[in-house]
Each structure stands twice: as structure tokens, then as C-alpha cells.
Amino acid sequence: MDNTLQYNNPLIEQRADPWVYKHEDGYYYFTGSVPEYDRIEVRRAKTIEGLRGAEQVTVWRKYETGPLSANIWAPEIHYIEGKWYIYFAAARTTETRDGLFDHRMFALECEAANPLEGSWTEKGQVKSKWETFCLDATSFEHRGVRYYVWAQKDPEIEGNSNLYIAEMENPWTLKEEQVMISTPEYDWEKIGFYVNEGAAVIKRNGKIFMTFSGSATDNNYCMGLLYADEDADLLNPDSWKKLDHPVFQTSGKNGQYGPGHNSFTVSEDGEKDVLIYHARNYEEIEGDPLYDPNRHTRAQVISWNEDGFPVFGEPVPDA
């Protein structure tokens, strides 16, 4: 595969947890966490580079009080059965209890062809098995079944979050069975916090690949990889295998620190797979890294090895 295609990074400054989706209308749609954590913005462009200067449309703002009033995190925009959906996490307070935030998962819906122009309806909380800290939901379809993957705190398991999968009843409701497919077990998933979060799915070469991010959100943040055979029962935890090493991590020599919370899209010609992720360009952070605004959105072409697995390489230097 020709990997000479390069994008100029950072693509979008001060947007963490970036999500880029190329729609059938030819536009790339982008959303991500804003530093103020107070709203959800969407932009679109005909090219990935065009997202940099595209108009930002605020489609939803947080409430003054209640479960949707604090720390609006990690929105993702999806197109499901002819409608647009945004999944995001929100909390009642910015304070933590026992080291955990108070986030729950929520969904918005828009029926307009252009989601930047349509109105968005709150579909409420996406409820799972526990009323505990949960966030970073994504969704994908496989063989006619729609799945939801998210990070959540199991009260019985040490740490911040594990990854879970469930089938969806509709785009804002889960069927009852949810199963854990990953928990922090390796050292690189446990630095600062025991974290598996920020899952993203790409289907290639007879397999379903799922990236995720681990450890604290400083320079230790990195990406891991799960995979399952396309014929497997995706609700069986044994179907999912995890690589024992990170697949994308800090590169001091390239000035990229804490890369993670990615999404996948395709190049303008449809020929190449593009990793969208955030990283900082410095290591030292004053105070809580969550409130350092300089996690910038970046784009990088990935390749595939002869075994059919993705090759992420190192985060490329800023242009």
C-alpha cells in the first residue's frame, strides 16, 4: 500500500477524543471534546484537511444543573437507519468520588439530511447494567446486527473502566445482555489509572479490529488492540483477543505525547485507512491533564501487514 499520503498535523487544535466519519454524501463529519467540556460541535468538509477551517456548528449545550450539566465528553456522530445520532458522556458534577467521575451515556437524534442544519432531539440516557461511571460509547454494525461498545466501571472490579459490548434494541437502547471484552491487565494499561476506554472499530481482512486507549491521559496514554474473527459470536468474550503490547504510543523523538482516543476514516480517494487521534506536543503538564486544553486532533495513514493486521507505526511529527 502506498503510504506517501500525509496530512498536516495538527489537523484541528484543541479538540480531544476526535471522531471523523465519511458519509455517503461525500462529506467528512467531525466532532470531539471541546476544552470547555460544555457543548457539542459538528463540522463538515469535503476533505480531511478541509475540516481544519470548516464552520463549527454547536448542536447541543449542557444544562445548568442535573445529569447533563458537567464535563461533556467524547461525542461521536453516527448515521444509523437514515438518521443521525450523537453519543456522548455527561455528568452532574465536575467532582469525583473515590477517584471516579459521575458520567453516564446519552444519545441525540437528528432526522435532517445535513446534521449541521437540523434540530437534535435528546433520546435520553443509554442505560446499561449498572448505574456507574461510564463513557466513550461507539457503535458499529456487523451482519445486520447493531452493536454498542463502551467503557464502564464494574463495582466488583478494581480500576476505572473496562470495555463492554451489547446488541442494540434501537439506536439509544441496549438489549439486556452485556459482556466485558477487555479489562486493564498489562502494565501499559494501568499507568496512573486502570483504564480501557475510547474504543473504535474497523473491519478488514476477515476480522473486526477494535482499538482502545489505556492509562492516564498524560504522556502515558496509549492505544491497544482487540480483534475478533468476523464469523465469531461478538457477544462471547472468548471471541476477542488482545495484543499484549500497545500499538500506538508516545514518540518523544517526534514530539507526540499521549496519543489515543482514536477513530477511523478513509482517505479522499477511498483507498487508504486513516487514523484520527489526539495527542499533545509536549510532555510536561501543569495540574490535571484533563484540563490541559492542548490535545490536538491529528490524522495519519495506517497500513496493513501480510497477516492482515493494522500497522500504526509511530505518531508522525507535526508539520
Side-chain angles (χ1 to χ4, degrees), residues 16 80 90 204 207 231 233 267:
I80 303 171
R204 294 286 184 272
K207 291 185 174 60
D231 296 324
D233 175 6
S267 59

Side-chain angles (χ1 to χ4, degrees), residues 13-290:
E13 294 193 352
Q14 295 194 343
R15 290 296 182 271
D17 315 321
W19 184 263
V20 173
Y21 161 66
K22 190 178 186 182
H23 190 43
E24 57 198 22
D25 63 3
Y27 280 95
Y28 290 91
Y29 288 83
F30 171 86
T31 189
S33 299
V34 302
E36 299 81 9
Y37 299 147
D38 65 349
R39 64 193 185 276
I40 297 173
E41 292 178 349
V42 181
R43 63 177 82 180
R44 72 175 189 171
K46 286 286 193 178
T47 65
I48 291 174
E49 292 272 7
L51 291 168
R52 179 183 285 108
E55 176 192 9
Q56 304 163 50
V57 175
T58 298
V59 300
W60 185 87
R61 288 187 180 275
K62 74 178 182 69
Y63 286 68
E64 289 302 311
T65 58
L68 292 158
S69 66
N71 279 354
I72 309 306
W73 286 357
E76 290 190 7
I77 186 166
H78 294 261
Y79 190 74
I80 303 171
E81 296 172 358
K83 297 178 184 179
W84 295 94
Y85 293 90
I86 290 176
Y87 299 115
F88 67 101
R92 293 178 178 273
T93 174
T94 58
E95 297 175 3
T96 59
R97 177 181 297 177
D98 299 326
L100 290 170
F101 285 99
D102 185 39
H103 286 79
R104 301 293 186 270
M105 305 177 294
F106 298 89
L108 304 173
E109 180 187 75
C110 176
E111 296 187 14
N114 180 356
L116 280 68
E117 297 175 352
S119 59
W120 287 83
T121 304
E122 293 173 14
K123 304 303 284 186
Q125 182 180 342
V126 182
K127 295 195 173 183
S128 59
K129 180 177 175 180
W130 307 288
E131 279 292 332
T132 60
F133 171 68
C134 56
L135 75 170
D136 291 358
T138 193
S139 179
F140 70 99
E141 179 274 334
H142 186 59
R143 296 188 171 167
V145 178
R146 169 88 24 200
Y147 296 94
Y148 191 79
V149 177
W150 71 100
Q152 186 160 18
K153 167 67 176 178
D154 178 339
E156 304 301 317
I157 295 179
E158 180 184 9
N160 282 54
S161 58
N162 316 297
L163 291 181
Y164 296 88
I165 189 171
E167 192 176 329
M168 303 194 86
E169 189 77 47
N170 59 43
W172 60 92
T173 309
L174 305 184
K175 291 190 175 179
E176 287 188 4
E177 183 186 8
Q178 72 177 60
V179 295
M180 185 176 76
I181 54 175
S182 183
T183 187
E185 53 190 307
Y186 300 111
D187 290 345
W188 52 271
E189 303 173 276
K190 298 179 175 182
I191 303 172
F193 299 100
Y194 287 40
V195 169
N196 282 177
E197 65 182 21
V201 171
I202 185 169
K203 297 195 289 183
R204 294 286 184 272
N205 308 321
K207 291 185 174 60
I208 297 168
F209 295 99
M210 185 185 299
T211 50
F212 65 93
S213 296
S215 292
T217 57
D218 54 17
N219 63 297
N220 294 300
Y221 207 54
C222 62
M223 281 165 44
L225 185 70
L226 299 164
Y227 62 95
D229 189 87
E230 65 179 0
D231 296 324
D233 175 6
L234 302 185
L235 297 180
N236 180 349
D238 293 336
S239 296
W240 295 92
K241 307 292 187 266
K242 183 196 292 188
L243 297 186
D244 62 4
H245 58 275
V247 295
F248 203 57
Q249 59 189 323
T250 289
S251 172
K253 76 176 194 298
N254 289 345
Q256 303 296 312
Y257 298 92
H261 202 122
N262 73 290
S263 57
F264 293 102
T265 191
V266 293
S267 59
E268 288 76 2
D269 62 7
E271 295 295 314
K272 303 174 185 68
D273 293 305
V274 181
L275 177 74
I276 305 291
Y277 64 99
H278 74 229
R280 293 186 179 86
N281 54 10
Y282 51 84
E283 183 174 3
E284 298 301 322
I285 301 168
E286 292 185 14
D288 189 329
L290 279 174

